[in-house]
Amino acid sequence: MRIIPTLLAALLAAGVGSVAMADTADVKTQTIVEIKKQGAHCEQDPNCFNRYHPAIKPVARAKPGDLIVVHTRDALDSNLNINSKPKDVTAIDVNLIHPMTGPIYIEGAKRGDVLAIKLIDINPNEYGSPRLFRALVSCLICTLNRSSPTGS
């Protein structure tokens, strides 16, 4: 059994047993840019807006290749939940909905640029509901009426 210590000694002498260290000086980790919700509704959240306008300042900056994590709100800004009743739906002010998180400034992007993104994951809330509004219904009825054979 003296062969194993002798073999080990020979391997160590040859440098086989030495620890190899990788040069990771140029390796960079991915930067994470996270925009979280604040407050119960969009109007209380500085990271929330509901219409695009050039005067709205970015709430975060990211570089190409950064991982952007966005905590979003539902289309009705959490005005409905599992306990909502039909009267709650009709009470919603549709002028105050459509909350968006951001805007996010992408360094190097210029007005008119098309940006490619890779969607990695979506984590839905515990509650959701389908949405169909009067404006959409009116638009569909109007379209159907225009395309009807009788023209009515």
Side-chain angles (χ1 to χ4, degrees):
M1 289 291 160
R2 216 166 132 69
I3 215 163
I4 292 177
T6 306
L7 181 59
L8 184 57
L11 290 173
L12 287 174
V16 174
S18 61
V19 176
M21 300 295 284
D23 179 11
T24 59
D26 62 342
V27 174
K28 296 179 183 175
T29 59
Q30 189 173 33
T31 301
I32 299 173
V33 177
E34 187 170 13
I35 302 99
K36 295 183 177 185
K37 292 189 283 189
Q38 299 177 34
H41 296 284
C42 186
E43 65 187 358
Q44 295 122 14
D45 189 346
N47 296 331
C48 187
F49 67 109
N50 73 349
R51 286 171 180 69
Y52 284 105
H53 190 277
I56 299 173
K57 302 291 182 210
V59 298
R61 297 177 74 89
K63 295 176 182 163
D66 285 352
L67 176 66
I68 302 172
V69 179
V70 180
H71 298 261
T72 61
R73 298 176 179 279
D74 69 49
L76 294 178
D77 199 14
S78 304
N79 285 315
L80 296 179
N81 59 47
I82 196 74
N83 298 313
S84 295
K85 307 284 186 235
K87 65 180 175 80
D88 299 325
V89 176
T90 58
I92 293 171
D93 183 351
V94 294
N95 293 313
L96 299 177
I97 60 171
H98 192 250
M100 297 179 280
T101 304
I104 302 165
Y105 181 86
I106 306 298
E107 294 181 18
K110 298 180 191 87
R111 186 179 296 244
D113 284 354
V114 175
L115 305 179
I117 65 164
K118 180 180 180 182
L119 186 60
I120 296 173
D121 196 9
I122 296 176
N123 293 316
N125 287 334
E126 293 179 2
Y127 173 78
S129 63
R131 311 294 195 305
L132 188 61
F133 292 106
R134 285 186 301 257
L136 177 60
V137 172
S138 297
C139 180
L140 289 172
I141 291 170
C142 177
T143 303
L144 290 173
N145 285 340
R146 286 187 193 146
S147 62
S148 70
T150 62
S152 58

